[in-house]
Amino acid sequence: MTNCGLVNEKNELVPLKSISVEVRVQDHVSTVSSTLLYVNEEERPLEALFVFPLPADAAVCHFSAKIGEQEIVAEVQDRETARDQYDDAVSSGQQAFLLEESAESPDVFRLSVGCLSPGQDAAVTIIYVTELDVQADHSLRFCLPAVLNPRYTPAGSVAGIVSEISSGCGAAPYTLTLSVHVSSPKPISKLESNCTLDPLVFLRSDHTQATVNLSPGHMFDKDVELFLYYQDTHQPSAIVEAGVATAPSGSLMRDPVVMISLYPEFPEEVMSSLATQGEFIFVMDQSGSMGEVLHHGKRAQTHIESARDTLLLLLKSLPMGCYFNIYGFGSRFESFYPESVEYSQNTMAQALKRVKKMQADMGGTEIVQPLKHIYSQPCKPDHPRQLFIFTDGEVGNTKEVLDLVKHHVHSHRCFSFAIGEGASTALITGMAREGSGHAQFITGTDRMQPKVMQSLRFALQPPVFNISVDWSLPDGITVDTLSQPIKVLFQGQRALIYTQLKGESSGGSEGTVTVKYRLKDQLVTNQLHFCLKPTEETGLAVHRLAARTRIRSLELEERSCNSDVEDIRRKIMELSVQAGVSSVHTAFIAVNKDSRQTVKGPLLQGRVQTYGSFDLCGIVMKDSSDRCGIVMKGFRVSEQTFHCCKPTKVTATRLNGFMTKVQNFFRRGSKTAAAPTVQTNSQSKSDAAPDPQKDPLLQLVSLQKASGCWDLDATLADAFGKTLDELTNQKPAQVEGSVWATLLALIWLYGCKIDQRVEWQFVAMKAVSWIGSQKVGDLSECVCVGNVLLGCQVTKETLGI
């Protein structure tokens, strides 16, 4: 594999030598400091461009560059002013650095490094703060993005920073060091990762502080995920952070700011009965990149294979009497049915036949058109619409998608799933946030099924209405809420509220926040008491997160507002500059005015649009010879012309996926894109079906009827590793065949797959409900015989029958 990263006309590496990351986790907030070391090994002054990912909700709050012993700290300025200042500096031979956020997707940033002298190095430091996501097992997830997939830009869309995302290949040509310091009010139970870590070292006997390092030799080819476990992670909490005394009076940075973390607990009687109605629409990405492999370990699947398995499980888990439809999309889209159909054995069986034929063969990733088509369909009365969107997130027009989802939020809930490394966090979390749903990320060796089934449980929860937040504070103190109003609450999921405290207290040191909402016919109240005394050693992390939250709200208001746009933009820029936090209208600019060198000719910026995975090393070199180049999976793209490079040994799957991307590249390059088409079940794809399911659980689930029962036949016996005669001969005389088969399936699930219960919980609930509707005598003997037959020890009470 040829080298990649910053290359010259001789295809030689590289100014980026190393990345060093320090992470400080304080309770639910992380501060990340990343230092990138560049070295110019060319014989001429160099300008480099680096496009890289950050978490969608990150607040970038510091940018500096150290050249030799001199450090230049960047300032936040109006974006156009910063760009002009950068261009002027570089053209006059001064060293300059420009960091700006993508206008299309807030999780993509571009770093321009200008005028590095021959042999000179520069250490660029970027600091950002972000909240940690709470997982289903109550762990806190930290993610350091390493992979930035190319984003598909539909014809007619304005190209921007996301169109500059370059491809990477093989191992990253630099080193990564990562150290993590964790502190928490609660003891730290453990820390896990998808990467190899050194042993966790506790710094205090009460286990409230600890450090850990990434083991040497890590190849930075996947996102680095850390999962932190505290005792009582899911308990409500409040962080009060003091303001800056020198900030302007009345400003956000001057006053104290509070971050409230709430975990609503719904009444047990409400949660015991999930909804049996709804319209479930599953939207599946079938673009060429879905043919890539999730990981390279045992039983590795492509994205589309894992998605097919998940659709099988979802279809088997739906309640009888609901409605459903399935869409596939790429450069075009198609639906299984012209409109959502009632869930029955017949419609489920039809859908499963088509699911087996779904392939990653539909070109680019254009999600807007299928969404518009779905929203144009009338909703089913008394069946709330639930949208499940599966994608690898390679979408360039993120904000257009989010605005569309938000515009239709009152007609549906949106649950989004990111498949594989490098998916756009802005797209996935944004669709769920604007659609009052929930987002999930499936990376590495993660199984998609448990995460999707957790979201299905959320979708089946009754919706929460009339959410209100009330504050009780000492006299003289008022609150200014910076977050958008809470639109959705799910059992056990965190809700964040940022508020600015104004005024002076005349006495009292405690506040109370009360959240009220209606759940079915009940009025539910959750309350949190907190101390107004500022928490120590938080820096300004909470203020910057609060500023980021307010800026995102204003940006959304700006896009949806027909008037006062200039006033909103002014507010965004003022808050961004005041808080030192990035926004779409500002940029970080640093200029070394002491440096000046002769430049032969202008330093022109290269614009090369390539497609493939991006491993934090997609850097385009630009110099006075007006050349730019980058390597793309065995090809070198130079001035948008393909030239063959050294031969590369690749698998058939990777080759097919790559050729699909090359085809998409030329398709995207055309002046006009083909009009989207809608295809219904009368039009089918290839009749070739994939290999039969080898996963025993999925094999059993695939045999269940829509009503919840199983047939007593040879395929069921094979799933148990038995013969049909063995199952039939042991059947108690008074029990009908389907009841016996369904009982055996339940016994096998509880006895052999209890660790995967989250995946089959709805399948089992349907089975129990079906058995309850049958005329069956004493089932105790049946359960005993079934245990002996299948080698299990499950009680009738465990089965819930």
Side-chain angles (χ1 to χ4, degrees):
M1 186 73 74
T2 52
N3 288 325
C4 62
L6 184 73
V7 296
N8 59 19
E9 68 275 14
K10 298 178 183 178
N11 197 29
E12 296 172 341
L13 291 173
V14 23
L16 180 59
K17 287 295 186 182
S18 65
I19 295 180
S20 175
V21 181
E22 294 182 1
V23 182
R24 294 191 65 85
V25 178
Q26 294 175 299
D27 201 8
H28 289 54
V29 175
S30 65
T31 302
V32 184
S33 176
S34 298
T35 299
L36 295 78
L37 179 62
Y38 290 90
V39 179
N40 180 11
E41 296 178 345
E42 300 297 312
E43 296 178 355
R44 63 176 68 87
L46 177 70
E47 183 185 19
L49 174 66
F50 190 40
V51 182
F52 61 98
L54 286 180
D57 294 330
V60 178
C61 55
H62 175 89
F63 175 45
S64 62
K66 189 173 183 180
I67 303 172
E69 296 301 318
Q70 184 179 13
E71 183 177 24
I72 314 163
V73 178
E75 297 178 350
V76 180
Q77 295 185 8
D78 167 79
R79 187 177 188 137
E80 296 305 318
T81 302
R83 284 178 172 177
D84 291 343
Q85 189 175 345
Y86 174 83
D87 290 340
D88 291 344
V90 172
S91 62
S92 64
Q94 293 177 323
Q95 293 161 341
F97 304 84
L98 180 69
L99 179 68
E100 49 188 331
E101 176 185 313
S102 165
E104 305 92 347
S105 187
D107 60 343
V108 179
F109 282 74
R110 175 173 61 190
L111 171 61
S112 300
V113 180
C115 257
L116 284 184
S117 303
Q120 191 172 51
D121 61 56
V124 176
T125 298
I126 301 168
I127 299 177
Y128 65 87
V129 292
T130 187
E131 305 114 347
L132 300 182
D133 295 327
V134 181
Q135 306 300 293
D137 62 355
H138 300 309
S139 65
L140 299 176
R141 176 181 179 264
F142 167 81
C143 180
L144 178 68
V147 179
L148 179 57
N149 291 330
R151 307 289 169 80
Y152 181 90
T153 305
S157 299
V158 178
I161 291 177
V162 295
S163 68
E164 298 167 340
I165 299 172
S166 309
S167 69
C169 55
Y174 49 81
T175 61
L176 168 71
T177 60
L178 173 70
S179 64
V180 183
H181 182 279
V182 185
S183 61
S184 168
K186 303 286 186 178
I188 303 161
S189 302
K190 60 180 177 177
L191 192 151
E192 297 177 346
S193 176
N194 65 332
C195 303
T196 305
L197 302 175
D198 291 342
L200 185 68
V201 178
F202 290 104
L203 303 180
R204 296 182 56 168
S205 58
D206 60 2
H207 286 197
T208 57
Q209 290 190 19
T211 62
V212 69
N213 295 320
L214 189 67
S215 296
H218 172 71
M219 305 307 295
F220 204 16
D221 58 350
K222 61 183 178 181
D223 294 348
V224 178
E225 292 180 297
L226 302 175
F227 298 92
L228 292 85
Y229 294 82
Y230 302 151
Q231 292 183 18
D232 300 323
T233 308
H234 61 289
Q235 295 300 314
S237 63
I239 299 177
V240 181
E241 184 176 78
V244 180
T246 56
S249 178
S251 67
L252 170 65
M253 301 306 290
R254 175 70 174 265
D255 294 329
V257 169
V258 185
M259 183 178 79
I260 302 290
S261 298
L262 297 175
Y263 295 85
E265 293 293 334
F266 296 167
E268 180 62 31
E269 59 271 21
V270 174
M271 297 307 301
S272 60
S273 59
L274 298 175
T276 57
Q277 295 177 307
E279 180 191 15
F280 299 88
I281 301 179
F282 307 109
V283 184
M284 183 60 62
D285 188 343
Q286 290 184 247
S287 62
S289 53
M290 288 288 287
E292 295 182 357
V293 179
L294 267 171
H295 61 91
H296 298 284
K298 294 182 179 180
R299 301 183 66 178
Q301 290 183 304
T302 63
H303 297 176
I304 195 67
E305 288 172 341
S306 181
R308 285 199 303 256
D309 288 350
T310 303
L311 274 179
L312 162 68
L313 199 57
L314 279 167
L315 286 172
K316 294 290 184 176
S317 301
L318 293 180
M320 289 293 288
C322 72
Y323 286 78
F324 79 99
N325 203 351
I326 299 175
Y327 282 71
F329 74 92
S331 299
R332 66 185 195 284
F333 69 91
E334 60 186 31
S335 61
F336 280 24
Y337 302 99
E339 61 180 75
S340 296
V341 296
E342 188 172 355
Y343 179 74
S344 66
Q345 178 60 32
N346 183 45
T347 55
M348 182 195 74
Q350 289 177 351
L352 284 175
K353 287 182 180 179
R354 292 201 63 187
V355 167
K356 291 179 180 179
K357 299 176 184 178
M358 297 181 82
Q359 301 292 334
D361 58 359
M362 294 182 70
T365 313
E366 294 194 39
I367 195 172
V368 169
Q369 293 305 320
L371 287 179
K372 286 183 176 179
H373 186 268
I374 292 168
Y375 293 144
S376 70
Q377 301 287 314
C379 294
K380 303 291 183 182
D382 300 321
H383 288 273
R385 178 172 287 173
Q386 315 279 3
L387 204 59
F388 285 65
I389 300 178
F390 300 83
T391 178
D392 57 12
E394 300 185 4
V395 174
N397 54 341
T398 298
K399 292 183 178 178
E400 182 182 359
V401 175
L402 301 187
D403 291 345
L404 181 62
V405 174
K406 179 178 175 60
H407 183 72
H408 294 276
V409 65
H410 298 296
S411 66
H412 77 302
R413 287 196 289 187
C414 182
F415 298 86
S416 54
F417 305 89
I419 306 173
E421 309 286 349
S424 169
T425 57
L427 176 76
I428 301 303
T429 60
M431 285 193 297
R433 181 181 62 249
E434 303 305 338
S436 297
H438 186 258
Q440 298 274 19
F441 290 84
I442 299 102
T443 60
T445 58
D446 288 348
R447 282 177 60 83
M448 189 185 303
Q449 290 84 356
K451 294 192 175 185
V452 173
M453 300 314 292
Q454 181 197 30
S455 291
L456 179 59
R457 173 170 283 276
F458 288 157
L460 293 172
Q461 286 182 15
V464 172
F465 297 102
N466 300 332
I467 303 173
S468 65
V469 179
D470 299 313
W471 297 83
S472 176
L473 298 168
D475 291 340
I477 297 182
T478 60
V479 296
D480 185 1
T481 302
L482 305 170
S483 310
Q484 289 186 337
I486 299 176
K487 297 181 294 184
V488 61
L489 290 172
F490 293 115
Q491 169 78 9
Q493 288 296 296
R494 179 179 61 180
L496 285 176
I497 304 174
Y498 288 97
T499 59
Q500 178 180 353
L501 299 181
K502 295 184 175 181
E504 295 289 338
S505 172
S506 58
S509 60
E510 188 177 86
T512 302
V513 58
T514 304
V515 179
K516 297 180 181 179
Y517 48 89
R518 297 204 70 86
L519 188 65
K520 284 193 172 180
D521 297 327
Q522 295 193 34
L523 177 63
V524 183
T525 301
N526 298 137
Q527 197 170 72
L528 173 66
H529 301 278
F530 62 95
C531 178
L532 292 175
K533 182 180 178 182
T535 307
E536 296 181 357
E537 299 181 358
T538 58
L540 289 173
V542 175
H543 275 76
R544 284 162 176 158
L545 287 172
R548 185 276 330 265
T549 299
R550 180 59 181 151
I551 287 170
R552 292 288 182 252
S553 297
L554 288 170
E555 289 173 350
L556 187 63
E557 185 179 344
E558 177 190 12
R559 296 200 305 273
S560 60
C561 187
N562 295 323
S563 59
D564 295 328
V565 171
E566 289 302 320
D567 183 58
I568 295 173
R569 185 171 299 179
R570 177 186 56 79
K571 291 179 180 179
I572 292 173
M573 289 190 290
E574 286 180 355
L575 183 55
S576 176
V577 172
Q578 179 195 120
V581 172
S582 63
S583 76
V584 71
H585 295 304
T586 54
F588 285 88
I589 176 70
V591 177
N592 183 6
K593 297 182 179 179
D594 293 335
S595 66
R596 190 174 298 276
Q597 52 197 326
T598 302
V599 179
K600 298 179 180 179
L603 289 171
L604 301 179
Q605 293 197 356
R607 292 290 182 267
V608 181
Q609 193 170 358
T610 59
Y611 299 89
S613 294
F614 178 78
D615 301 6
L616 257 186
C617 57
I619 311 167
V620 180
M621 188 196 86
K622 304 162 292 178
D623 59 24
S624 56
S625 62
D626 192 19
R627 294 185 178 91
C628 58
I630 199 154
V631 177
M632 182 176 73
K633 293 191 177 179
F635 287 76
R636 181 161 184 267
V637 182
S638 179
E639 299 171 6
Q640 299 198 8
T641 304
F642 286 119
H643 300 288
C644 208
C645 269
K646 298 178 183 179
T648 304
K649 186 178 293 185
V650 296
T651 64
T653 300
R654 289 186 65 81
L655 181 59
N656 290 338
F658 168 67
M659 291 310 298
T660 300
K661 290 179 180 178
V662 173
Q663 293 164 6
N664 294 342
F665 171 80
F666 287 110
R667 183 180 293 114
R668 279 188 282 260
S670 63
K671 293 182 180 179
T672 58
T677 59
V678 182
Q679 188 171 314
T680 64
N681 63 326
S682 62
Q683 302 166 288
S684 63
K685 297 181 184 176
S686 167
D687 290 330
D691 293 335
Q693 292 290 348
K694 295 181 180 180
D695 185 313
L697 174 60
L698 293 178
Q699 187 177 3
L700 177 70
V701 170
S702 68
L703 300 175
Q704 188 186 36
K705 303 293 185 181
S707 62
C709 71
W710 277 264
D711 287 337
L712 185 61
D713 56 23
T715 54
L716 178 66
D718 183 63
F720 295 142
K722 304 289 182 180
T723 66
L724 179 57
D725 286 343
E726 288 178 289
L727 266 58
T728 304
N729 293 338
Q730 295 296 320
K731 181 180 76 67
Q734 76 276 18
V735 178
E736 189 266 338
S738 291
V739 174
W740 175 236
T742 305
L743 271 173
L744 290 177
L746 282 171
I747 292 170
W748 186 86
L749 288 172
Y750 278 96
C752 301
K753 293 294 178 180
I754 191 64
D755 58 328
Q756 293 178 243
R757 183 174 181 176
V758 68
E759 299 183 37
W760 50 260
Q761 56 182 319
F762 298 112
V763 167
M765 288 169 62
K766 289 172 68 173
V768 170
S769 177
W770 181 84
I771 289 176
S773 68
Q774 306 301 303
K775 292 182 179 180
V776 185
D778 183 13
L779 293 175
S780 299
E781 180 188 354
C782 297
V783 174
C784 290
V785 175
N787 276 324
V788 174
L789 179 62
L790 299 178
C792 300
Q793 294 179 335
V794 179
T795 65
K796 189 178 76 168
E797 291 71 27
T798 299
L799 299 180
I801 55 178

